[in-house]
Amino acid sequence: MIVDTLTSPIILFFVLGFFAALIKSDLSIPEAFGKAMSIYLMAAIGLKGGIEVAEAGFSVQLAWAALAGLGLSFLLPVPAYFLLVRFGGLKPVDAGAVAAHYGSVSVVTFVTAQEILTGRGLEPAGYMVAIMALMETPAIISGLLLLQGKKAPTPGVPKQSTTKLLHEVFSNGSVILLVGAFLIGMVAGKDGFAPVKPLFDTGFRGVLCLFLLDMGLVAARRLIQSRKLTLPLIVLAIAMPVMNGMIGAALGVAIGLDPGSAAILAVLAASASYIAVPAAMRLAVPEADPGVYLSMSLGITFPFNIIFGITIYAAMVQMML
Amino acid sequence: MIVDTLTSPIILFFVLGFFAALIKSDLSIPEAFGKAMSIYLMAAIGLKGGIEVAEAGFSVQLAWAALAGLGLSFLLPVPAYFLLVRFGGLKPVDAGAVAAHYGSVSVVTFVTAQEILTGRGLEPAGYMVAIMALMETPAIISGLLLLQGKKAPTPGVPKQSTTKLLHEVFSNGSVILLVGAFLIGMVAGKDGFAPVKPLFDTGFRGVLCLFLLDMGLVAARRLIQSRKLTLPLIVLAIAMPVMNGMIGAALGVAIGLDPGSAAILAVLAASASYIAVPAAMRLAVPEADPGVYLSMSLGITFPFNIIFGITIYAAMVQMML
Amino acid sequence: MIVDTLTSPIILFFVLGFFAALIKSDLSIPEAFGKAMSIYLMAAIGLKGGIEVAEAGFSVQLAWAALAGLGLSFLLPVPAYFLLVRFGGLKPVDAGAVAAHYGSVSVVTFVTAQEILTGRGLEPAGYMVAIMALMETPAIISGLLLLQGKKAPTPGVPKQSTTKLLHEVFSNGSVILLVGAFLIGMVAGKDGFAPVKPLFDTGFRGVLCLFLLDMGLVAARRLIQSRKLTLPLIVLAIAMPVMNGMIGAALGVAIGLDPGSAAILAVLAASASYIAVPAAMRLAVPEADPGVYLSMSLGITFPFNIIFGITIYAAMVQMML
Amino acid sequence: MVDTVIRKRIEIVIDTPLIPIIINMIKAVDISGWSVIHVDSGGGRDGEWQHDDVTGAAAKSILLAIASDEKAQALVDRIEPILETHRLLLTVGNVQVIRGDKF
Amino acid sequence: MVDTVIRKRIEIVIDTPLIPIIINMIKAVDISGWSVIHVDSGGGRDGEWQHDDVTGAAAKSILLAIASDEKAQALVDRIEPILETHRLLLTVGNVQVIRGDKF
Amino acid sequence: MVDTVIRKRIEIVIDTPLIPIIINMIKAVDISGWSVIHVDSGGGRDGEWQHDDVTGAAAKSILLAIASDEKAQALVDRIEPILETHRLLLTVGNVQVIRGDKF
Ligand SMILES: Nc1ncnc2c1ncn2[C@@H]1O[C@H](COP(=O)(O)O)[C@@H](O)[C@H]1O
Ligand SMILES: Nc1ncnc2c1ncn2[C@@H]1O[C@H](COP(=O)(O)O)[C@@H](O)[C@H]1O
Ligand SMILES: Nc1ncnc2c1ncn2[C@@H]1O[C@H](COP(=O)(O)O)[C@@H](O)[C@H]1O
Ligand code: NA
Ligand code: NA
Ligand code: NA
């Protein structure tokens, strides 16, 4: 199965980007193009999920999956935090910030997993994209709760008020776009979607290739430029996703999800955020070192998940069934 | 019909953007991506119009429509100017600048109307895109004529020469692109267009969705940040398009255009520029406050036209027939 | 045939851009969009070439074509250098820098030629895209060798080490992307390509139109702003591509390439780089005046090749057969 | 010849996500405005970085504000405690402006 | 050690569409060059703005020009009358340059 | 009130492809960091240019570095010989910084 994955153009473009950055090529994707692709991808998966839910209707599974997703995002940072402090040797502020990343999710890992699983006949349910949106932000709150009291208030700077933080968390651009496109998909339905389908459906995998090329470059550059990674942190950046993936897989199977959906729940649990959470942490815990959390989530966990993780978590689910 | 409009993904993406900006989400579309989409859309509608004219040939209607368009763009600023001074309480420089916006047209409103009307079986004639290009700039000249003498010459700054201004007006990027693509469509014809059709035709509605998402964000942010809007100005920003739309509809019906073309002429009359004219006014009348004209045309008239106006103007035409 | 070319939308968009810049229109394509399109085009042609080679297998022709390409890129700068010094009146540093441009290739000229030749039933072999990648960089080394000793070392600045320069040459972004996409195409093959085909195949010609619009603008602006072009340089900027094209055509026919491949080899020989080589020259020979080499390659040779050259080189090949 | 007065030119190299914190301070000390300049790349104790990175969390900008001596001092006093934790680089220079009363 | 002389560093925060007006003035007073710096966002008496806006009419830039005392003064004199109407923010500072004769 | 010291603000208008050469010099004289500012367009003896150009070979940037007198002088000495050949525009100004020991 790993071989399957490794001959898929999507993964190969990621490897190409990663390789180009490692040999210090000057290949680079303009920032605006990268952002444009991520907006396109989020709109496309949101729409697709919404249409599928409009077709299939709400179900008990959906409710269970939502609960599971919320719970995972909220609780996974807790063991992560203690591992990061004890085993990783991080200061509490840094550990809290990193933990929030591992509770939250990576949209690109989700999309890549969806493509790979669908290619193997394990298509996840349409509502899983909504579950992903749900999982983006609880981990941020959870990470900040872990830091409560640990963080000396800086003189002269008023503490971020909780309502302000909650607002930031729920009005986060990617959450709004995912949820908004999901609702548009539900309202428009299959017929309403038909006219816009050529862009959002047909072009999807090709754009994903180019976006993963970009992510490969970004991940490898982050890895090269990071000076904050110690061996324990590298180990944790692989062990935590495997551990979280296993918990996600077990939970998915336990609540009776179909194999594809359970696998994608595992992928979501295993993946670590590198867009929404870093931005939130930068603002809420500026003392935490972005060099640590970006290197771990983007430099190690993300490539690990794309190349090996997805296949591993799918295998876990199939062994548990 | 309003309900129809409100379940179209195109409009829903606009509403999503508008909503995101209202709740102060950090969702944003990179500037370069927005410009890229508008270049794509203009090239696509230009090509499409040119091909249709190549098929249908020139006609008396086309000539009448061109005359009507030119006349509307040149004359609509006149009543607008007096309304803005008397009822809106604007200074002459500001009133002249705003009036020019309402004589000119909005490309996105045109494209959205074309999609919505086509969806209802009221497809406008292909040449209407050329009429739109014709209508972009006369209003600028008209607005400046209204200001003749009203504007104290600033010491040390040579007056903008008229030939220089005319050059700027006719070499305007969007006019060149629209007219150029139109001519390319006419030269290439249906067969020549076939190889490039997949990009320009198939992807069109999807790109329009994402572009309206962007426009929703921009319009709402403009509305929130504006401090120059008074109640009379808000009323005028809705009354002027309705009035202009009615004039456009009547003229379209009077010169014997088919219902779709008459409706789109009404939409063009009703729409207000927010790209070509602001840039020209900024340079020609720097004393005019951009806060006023952008807030009115982009913050109020544009969303009003997209969500309600298009349907209203189409209904006007159908009542007049 | 020239007429054929001149009614193709691809060429017409180039002419439109060129015209818009000549009349000093403010039409402009955002830098990020231009770069995005060039990344897309390189990925697309790389993939396509790789898939075709995967289908057709390696062949003796491929090996001969590779040798021919390498030889052309490495040797064409030599006569160019002497012409530029003797006839063009350039200083040695400038002549060396310009010569390197004419040994290397222009990706856009290649792609445009491929489209035009395919449209005439002269489709080049798939492997020619790999030959293009091979031809990008030897000319840089060759140009620098010509300058050996001519260039006074600047006090305080350590000479660029050769290994560093070689690294820069081979890790060049466009080489990596072309070769990488080519290999991905070979690994994925026709079946693996199927899911990403809609983006890379269907949209290709349309994107090429918009990219040539951009290139038309850039080329004409470069021509207008250049103050370094003398009549001899203008003559050389047309004579050198014709001469190089003839050599390429002869070599292609001599090694037994099919007419399409021979024609594209001629196009490659005739084309001049305006991305990889200028960047390399700027860094390796900062004393050379970029105004000279960009004006010649981008302002004159590029438009000449797009509008007339491709047709001329194809005709040369057909006369030689 | 036009009359000019001396004002302070405050320049802060700052992580883009942290800009709102400083803008709040600028408003608090009643400085009349600010501009955010785009920084493409850079390097420091923490290594080098480029702007073209999807996360945006590591992007940097320059905040520029022109202010009177007094307001500049008030801003510097507020920023000083977070200078190290927020990894800011703050410089203050002198410039001449026309109609200095508006700063 | 290299010889340096003092020249003026003129910095103008300006609406992007108005740049050609000032460039004409720069040329008129014979200043040798200028650079336009990209401004992402800002705030002032008129509220806040972002650059990422399709209209472009509200975008701002910074015009930077290095010039001799004399030429700088000539430029400032020309700009002064339109400072308010065109909503410019003009500052002038001192910098050292090498080979000052070219400014 | 916070203690400040005077440091040098070095600003270099430079062709973007040449930046690595100067960064090497910055590192060689042990200056602690630098920032690269995005320049959109400009004009000089060689005519005008815009940034939105696919070649990238003609794009310009501004390199900004804050440094002590001594290190600034060392950098200027290194740059001086290539000032003309590499078409650099170098200016040095004075700014106040807090905790000047890190520069
Ligand atoms: N004191 C200031 N320092 C730096 N930039 C300013 C200042 N005041 C205004 N600006 C810039 O100039 C623009 C227009 O200011 P205003 O005319 O006050 O609305 C603002 O959006 C800022 O980008
Ligand atoms: N006096 C100046 N002030 C600010 N920028 C300048 C000045 N002179 C030149 N430049 C910048 O340096 C670039 C090259 O100048 P030049 O070498 O004179 O062609 C110009 O395009 C400007 O961006
Ligand atoms: N001396 C300096 N001059 C100019 N910019 C600097 C300097 N030091 C640091 N920076 C900028 O601030 C960022 C963070 O620096 P640091 O905190 O030292 O890693 C760097 O990436 C640069 O963009
Ligand atoms: Na997770
Ligand atoms: Na109108
Ligand atoms: Na060549």
Side-chain angles (χ1 to χ4, degrees), chain D residues 13 39 41-47 49 60 87 89, chain F residues 31-35 64-67 103:
Chain D
V13 181
V39 180
S41 61
R45 292 157 300 167
D46 260 15
W49 61 274
K60 285 181 204 295
R87 319 185 132 251
L89 175 65
Chain F
I31 291 179
S32 68
W34 70 89
S35 300
L64 175 71
I66 311 297
F103 297 101

PDB file of all heavy atoms in Angstrom, chain D residues 13 39 41-47 49 60 87 89, chain F residues 31-35 64-67 103, ligand 3:
ATOM      1  N   VAL D  13      10.373  46.268  13.636  1.00  0.00           N
ATOM      2  CA  VAL D  13      10.331  44.991  12.899  1.00  0.00           C
ATOM      3  C   VAL D  13       9.597  43.995  13.794  1.00  0.00           C
ATOM      4  O   VAL D  13       9.986  43.786  14.943  1.00  0.00           O
ATOM      5  CB  VAL D  13      11.751  44.462  12.587  1.00  0.00           C
ATOM      6  CG1 VAL D  13      11.649  43.158  11.814  1.00  0.00           C
ATOM      7  CG2 VAL D  13      12.554  45.486  11.813  1.00  0.00           C
ATOM      8  N   VAL D  39       7.629  43.073   4.447  1.00  0.00           N
ATOM      9  CA  VAL D  39       8.991  42.557   4.503  1.00  0.00           C
ATOM     10  C   VAL D  39       9.007  41.190   3.810  1.00  0.00           C
ATOM     11  O   VAL D  39       8.172  40.333   4.095  1.00  0.00           O
ATOM     12  CB  VAL D  39       9.472  42.434   5.957  1.00  0.00           C
ATOM     13  CG1 VAL D  39      10.892  41.904   6.015  1.00  0.00           C
ATOM     14  CG2 VAL D  39       9.410  43.786   6.647  1.00  0.00           C
ATOM     15  N   SER D  41      11.765  38.978   3.457  1.00  0.00           N
ATOM     16  CA  SER D  41      12.570  37.943   4.084  1.00  0.00           C
ATOM     17  C   SER D  41      13.524  38.613   5.065  1.00  0.00           C
ATOM     18  O   SER D  41      13.553  39.836   5.171  1.00  0.00           O
ATOM     19  CB  SER D  41      13.366  37.171   3.026  1.00  0.00           C
ATOM     20  OG  SER D  41      14.230  38.055   2.351  1.00  0.00           O
ATOM     21  N   GLY D  42      14.290  37.811   5.766  1.00  0.00           N
ATOM     22  CA  GLY D  42      15.202  38.393   6.736  1.00  0.00           C
ATOM     23  C   GLY D  42      15.982  37.310   7.453  1.00  0.00           C
ATOM     24  O   GLY D  42      15.850  36.111   7.154  1.00  0.00           O
ATOM     25  N   GLY D  43      16.818  37.762   8.392  1.00  0.00           N
ATOM     26  CA  GLY D  43      17.581  36.808   9.168  1.00  0.00           C
ATOM     27  C   GLY D  43      17.988  37.440  10.478  1.00  0.00           C
ATOM     28  O   GLY D  43      18.084  38.668  10.579  1.00  0.00           O
ATOM     29  N   GLY D  44      18.174  36.603  11.490  1.00  0.00           N
ATOM     30  CA  GLY D  44      18.578  37.109  12.796  1.00  0.00           C
ATOM     31  C   GLY D  44      19.128  35.960  13.614  1.00  0.00           C
ATOM     32  O   GLY D  44      19.588  34.962  13.054  1.00  0.00           O
ATOM     33  N   ARG D  45      19.053  36.115  14.936  1.00  0.00           N
ATOM     34  CA  ARG D  45      19.589  35.068  15.812  1.00  0.00           C
ATOM     35  C   ARG D  45      18.912  33.735  15.538  1.00  0.00           C
ATOM     36  O   ARG D  45      19.479  32.677  15.709  1.00  0.00           O
ATOM     37  CB  ARG D  45      19.369  35.463  17.271  1.00  0.00           C
ATOM     38  CG  ARG D  45      20.178  36.651  17.731  1.00  0.00           C
ATOM     39  CD  ARG D  45      19.503  37.271  18.930  1.00  0.00           C
ATOM     40  NE  ARG D  45      18.155  37.720  18.582  1.00  0.00           N
ATOM     41  CZ  ARG D  45      17.225  38.086  19.435  1.00  0.00           C
ATOM     42  NH1 ARG D  45      17.462  38.042  20.728  1.00  0.00           N
ATOM     43  NH2 ARG D  45      16.038  38.487  19.031  1.00  0.00           N
ATOM     44  N   ASP D  46      17.657  33.806  15.107  1.00  0.00           N
ATOM     45  CA  ASP D  46      16.855  32.591  14.937  1.00  0.00           C
ATOM     46  C   ASP D  46      16.942  32.012  13.544  1.00  0.00           C
ATOM     47  O   ASP D  46      16.069  31.228  13.151  1.00  0.00           O
ATOM     48  CB  ASP D  46      15.394  32.942  15.183  1.00  0.00           C
ATOM     49  CG  ASP D  46      15.001  32.523  16.566  1.00  0.00           C
ATOM     50  OD1 ASP D  46      15.906  32.256  17.360  1.00  0.00           O
ATOM     51  OD2 ASP D  46      13.801  32.446  16.829  1.00  0.00           O
ATOM     52  N   GLY D  47      17.895  32.412  12.776  1.00  0.00           N
ATOM     53  CA  GLY D  47      17.995  31.869  11.431  1.00  0.00           C
ATOM     54  C   GLY D  47      17.272  32.734  10.437  1.00  0.00           C
ATOM     55  O   GLY D  47      16.785  33.811  10.769  1.00  0.00           O
ATOM     56  N   TRP D  49      14.449  33.499   7.236  1.00  0.00           N
ATOM     57  CA  TRP D  49      13.063  33.163   6.909  1.00  0.00           C
ATOM     58  C   TRP D  49      12.682  33.856   5.611  1.00  0.00           C
ATOM     59  O   TRP D  49      13.260  34.852   5.219  1.00  0.00           O
ATOM     60  CB  TRP D  49      12.124  33.598   8.043  1.00  0.00           C
ATOM     61  CG  TRP D  49      12.164  35.067   8.270  1.00  0.00           C
ATOM     62  CD1 TRP D  49      13.035  35.742   9.057  1.00  0.00           C
ATOM     63  CD2 TRP D  49      11.322  36.044   7.669  1.00  0.00           C
ATOM     64  NE1 TRP D  49      12.795  37.085   8.979  1.00  0.00           N
ATOM     65  CE2 TRP D  49      11.750  37.300   8.143  1.00  0.00           C
ATOM     66  CE3 TRP D  49      10.245  35.980   6.789  1.00  0.00           C
ATOM     67  CZ2 TRP D  49      11.136  38.481   7.746  1.00  0.00           C
ATOM     68  CZ3 TRP D  49       9.634  37.154   6.393  1.00  0.00           C
ATOM     69  CH2 TRP D  49      10.090  38.392   6.876  1.00  0.00           C
ATOM     70  N   LYS D  60       7.078  38.472   8.792  1.00  0.00           N
ATOM     71  CA  LYS D  60       7.375  39.695   9.524  1.00  0.00           C
ATOM     72  C   LYS D  60       6.978  40.933   8.719  1.00  0.00           C
ATOM     73  O   LYS D  60       6.869  40.879   7.500  1.00  0.00           O
ATOM     74  CB  LYS D  60       8.869  39.754   9.843  1.00  0.00           C
ATOM     75  CG  LYS D  60       9.232  38.803  10.968  1.00  0.00           C
ATOM     76  CD  LYS D  60      10.698  38.860  11.324  1.00  0.00           C
ATOM     77  CE  LYS D  60      11.125  37.570  11.977  1.00  0.00           C
ATOM     78  NZ  LYS D  60      10.493  37.310  13.275  1.00  0.00           N
ATOM     79  N   ARG D  87       9.951  39.522  20.720  1.00  0.00           N
ATOM     80  CA  ARG D  87      11.027  39.574  19.726  1.00  0.00           C
ATOM     81  C   ARG D  87      10.856  40.745  18.750  1.00  0.00           C
ATOM     82  O   ARG D  87      10.893  40.573  17.543  1.00  0.00           O
ATOM     83  CB  ARG D  87      11.097  38.279  18.929  1.00  0.00           C
ATOM     84  CG  ARG D  87      10.905  37.069  19.781  1.00  0.00           C
ATOM     85  CD  ARG D  87      11.098  35.776  19.051  1.00  0.00           C
ATOM     86  NE  ARG D  87      11.965  34.942  19.849  1.00  0.00           N
ATOM     87  CZ  ARG D  87      13.204  34.652  19.549  1.00  0.00           C
ATOM     88  NH1 ARG D  87      13.734  35.112  18.438  1.00  0.00           N
ATOM     89  NH2 ARG D  87      13.932  33.896  20.331  1.00  0.00           N
ATOM     90  N   LEU D  89      12.045  44.486  17.184  1.00  0.00           N
ATOM     91  CA  LEU D  89      13.234  45.301  16.965  1.00  0.00           C
ATOM     92  C   LEU D  89      12.727  46.725  16.781  1.00  0.00           C
ATOM     93  O   LEU D  89      12.035  47.029  15.809  1.00  0.00           O
ATOM     94  CB  LEU D  89      13.951  44.814  15.703  1.00  0.00           C
ATOM     95  CG  LEU D  89      15.150  45.619  15.256  1.00  0.00           C
ATOM     96  CD1 LEU D  89      16.260  45.535  16.291  1.00  0.00           C
ATOM     97  CD2 LEU D  89      15.663  45.079  13.930  1.00  0.00           C
TER      98      LEU D  89
ATOM     99  N   ILE F  31      27.044  41.407  11.942  1.00  0.00           N
ATOM    100  CA  ILE F  31      25.832  42.156  12.269  1.00  0.00           C
ATOM    101  C   ILE F  31      24.741  41.136  12.570  1.00  0.00           C
ATOM    102  O   ILE F  31      24.653  40.097  11.910  1.00  0.00           O
ATOM    103  CB  ILE F  31      25.452  43.092  11.104  1.00  0.00           C
ATOM    104  CG1 ILE F  31      26.491  44.221  11.006  1.00  0.00           C
ATOM    105  CG2 ILE F  31      24.057  43.658  11.287  1.00  0.00           C
ATOM    106  CD1 ILE F  31      26.243  45.211   9.889  1.00  0.00           C
ATOM    107  N   SER F  32      23.907  41.433  13.564  1.00  0.00           N
ATOM    108  CA  SER F  32      23.042  40.389  14.120  1.00  0.00           C
ATOM    109  C   SER F  32      21.858  40.006  13.239  1.00  0.00           C
ATOM    110  O   SER F  32      21.254  38.952  13.434  1.00  0.00           O
ATOM    111  CB  SER F  32      22.513  40.829  15.484  1.00  0.00           C
ATOM    112  OG  SER F  32      21.628  41.915  15.298  1.00  0.00           O
ATOM    113  N   GLY F  33      21.484  40.833  12.279  1.00  0.00           N
ATOM    114  CA  GLY F  33      20.320  40.467  11.468  1.00  0.00           C
ATOM    115  C   GLY F  33      20.083  41.464  10.364  1.00  0.00           C
ATOM    116  O   GLY F  33      20.798  42.456  10.229  1.00  0.00           O
ATOM    117  N   TRP F  34      19.086  41.179   9.544  1.00  0.00           N
ATOM    118  CA  TRP F  34      18.729  42.073   8.442  1.00  0.00           C
ATOM    119  C   TRP F  34      17.294  41.792   8.042  1.00  0.00           C
ATOM    120  O   TRP F  34      16.741  40.732   8.378  1.00  0.00           O
ATOM    121  CB  TRP F  34      19.668  41.848   7.262  1.00  0.00           C
ATOM    122  CG  TRP F  34      19.415  40.526   6.608  1.00  0.00           C
ATOM    123  CD1 TRP F  34      18.543  40.242   5.603  1.00  0.00           C
ATOM    124  CD2 TRP F  34      19.993  39.267   6.974  1.00  0.00           C
ATOM    125  NE1 TRP F  34      18.548  38.905   5.314  1.00  0.00           N
ATOM    126  CE2 TRP F  34      19.424  38.286   6.138  1.00  0.00           C
ATOM    127  CE3 TRP F  34      20.940  38.878   7.933  1.00  0.00           C
ATOM    128  CZ2 TRP F  34      19.770  36.940   6.231  1.00  0.00           C
ATOM    129  CZ3 TRP F  34      21.265  37.527   8.022  1.00  0.00           C
ATOM    130  CH2 TRP F  34      20.690  36.590   7.178  1.00  0.00           C
ATOM    131  N   SER F  35      16.691  42.739   7.324  1.00  0.00           N
ATOM    132  CA  SER F  35      15.352  42.544   6.798  1.00  0.00           C
ATOM    133  C   SER F  35      15.338  43.022   5.350  1.00  0.00           C
ATOM    134  O   SER F  35      15.985  44.015   5.029  1.00  0.00           O
ATOM    135  CB  SER F  35      14.330  43.346   7.607  1.00  0.00           C
ATOM    136  OG  SER F  35      14.328  42.938   8.952  1.00  0.00           O
ATOM    137  N   LEU F  64      17.669  46.250   4.924  1.00  0.00           N
ATOM    138  CA  LEU F  64      17.744  47.100   6.109  1.00  0.00           C
ATOM    139  C   LEU F  64      18.512  46.370   7.196  1.00  0.00           C
ATOM    140  O   LEU F  64      18.214  45.214   7.491  1.00  0.00           O
ATOM    141  CB  LEU F  64      16.321  47.398   6.600  1.00  0.00           C
ATOM    142  CG  LEU F  64      16.198  48.187   7.895  1.00  0.00           C
ATOM    143  CD1 LEU F  64      16.612  49.633   7.664  1.00  0.00           C
ATOM    144  CD2 LEU F  64      14.770  48.127   8.402  1.00  0.00           C
ATOM    145  N   ALA F  65      19.504  47.031   7.801  1.00  0.00           N
ATOM    146  CA  ALA F  65      20.214  46.408   8.913  1.00  0.00           C
ATOM    147  C   ALA F  65      20.526  47.465   9.962  1.00  0.00           C
ATOM    148  O   ALA F  65      20.961  48.573   9.634  1.00  0.00           O
ATOM    149  CB  ALA F  65      21.499  45.740   8.426  1.00  0.00           C
ATOM    150  N   ILE F  66      20.285  47.112  11.205  1.00  0.00           N
ATOM    151  CA  ILE F  66      20.612  47.989  12.323  1.00  0.00           C
ATOM    152  C   ILE F  66      21.907  47.454  12.925  1.00  0.00           C
ATOM    153  O   ILE F  66      22.017  46.250  13.158  1.00  0.00           O
ATOM    154  CB  ILE F  66      19.501  47.964  13.392  1.00  0.00           C
ATOM    155  CG1 ILE F  66      18.123  48.160  12.756  1.00  0.00           C
ATOM    156  CG2 ILE F  66      19.766  48.985  14.501  1.00  0.00           C
ATOM    157  CD1 ILE F  66      17.931  49.477  12.067  1.00  0.00           C
ATOM    158  N   ALA F  67      22.867  48.320  13.152  1.00  0.00           N
ATOM    159  CA  ALA F  67      24.150  47.832  13.658  1.00  0.00           C
ATOM    160  C   ALA F  67      24.854  48.923  14.442  1.00  0.00           C
ATOM    161  O   ALA F  67      24.517  50.103  14.346  1.00  0.00           O
ATOM    162  CB  ALA F  67      25.031  47.371  12.498  1.00  0.00           C
ATOM    163  N   PHE F 103      23.263  44.739  19.322  1.00  0.00           N
ATOM    164  CA  PHE F 103      23.629  45.065  17.931  1.00  0.00           C
ATOM    165  C   PHE F 103      25.143  45.172  17.734  1.00  0.00           C
ATOM    166  O   PHE F 103      25.823  45.744  18.557  1.00  0.00           O
ATOM    167  CB  PHE F 103      22.968  46.387  17.518  1.00  0.00           C
ATOM    168  CG  PHE F 103      21.473  46.280  17.540  1.00  0.00           C
ATOM    169  CD1 PHE F 103      20.754  46.796  18.597  1.00  0.00           C
ATOM    170  CD2 PHE F 103      20.810  45.609  16.530  1.00  0.00           C
ATOM    171  CE1 PHE F 103      19.399  46.668  18.630  1.00  0.00           C
ATOM    172  CE2 PHE F 103      19.449  45.479  16.576  1.00  0.00           C
ATOM    173  CZ  PHE F 103      18.737  46.005  17.631  1.00  0.00           C
TER     174      PHE F 103
HETATM  175  N1  LIG G   3      20.053  44.042  13.113  1.00  0.00           N
HETATM  176  C1  LIG G   3      18.939  43.876  12.383  1.00  0.00           C
HETATM  177  N2  LIG G   3      18.630  44.745  11.395  1.00  0.00           N
HETATM  178  C2  LIG G   3      17.511  44.606  10.671  1.00  0.00           C
HETATM  179  N3  LIG G   3      16.623  43.613  10.864  1.00  0.00           N
HETATM  180  C3  LIG G   3      16.863  42.717  11.844  1.00  0.00           C
HETATM  181  C4  LIG G   3      18.024  42.801  12.647  1.00  0.00           C
HETATM  182  N4  LIG G   3      18.009  41.787  13.527  1.00  0.00           N
HETATM  183  C5  LIG G   3      16.877  41.106  13.293  1.00  0.00           C
HETATM  184  N5  LIG G   3      16.185  41.634  12.284  1.00  0.00           N
HETATM  185  C6  LIG G   3      14.879  41.171  11.761  1.00  0.00           C
HETATM  186  O1  LIG G   3      14.146  40.603  12.820  1.00  0.00           O
HETATM  187  C7  LIG G   3      13.913  39.223  12.578  1.00  0.00           C
HETATM  188  C8  LIG G   3      14.002  38.420  13.865  1.00  0.00           C
HETATM  189  O2  LIG G   3      15.282  38.544  14.397  1.00  0.00           O
HETATM  190  P1  LIG G   3      15.757  37.588  15.590  1.00  0.00           P
HETATM  191  O3  LIG G   3      14.795  37.846  16.693  1.00  0.00           O
HETATM  192  O4  LIG G   3      17.163  38.035  15.841  1.00  0.00           O
HETATM  193  O5  LIG G   3      15.659  36.182  15.020  1.00  0.00           O
HETATM  194  C9  LIG G   3      14.914  38.833  11.521  1.00  0.00           C
HETATM  195  O6  LIG G   3      14.482  37.726  10.767  1.00  0.00           O
HETATM  196  C10 LIG G   3      15.041  40.089  10.710  1.00  0.00           C
HETATM  197  O7  LIG G   3      13.982  40.202   9.761  1.00  0.00           O
END
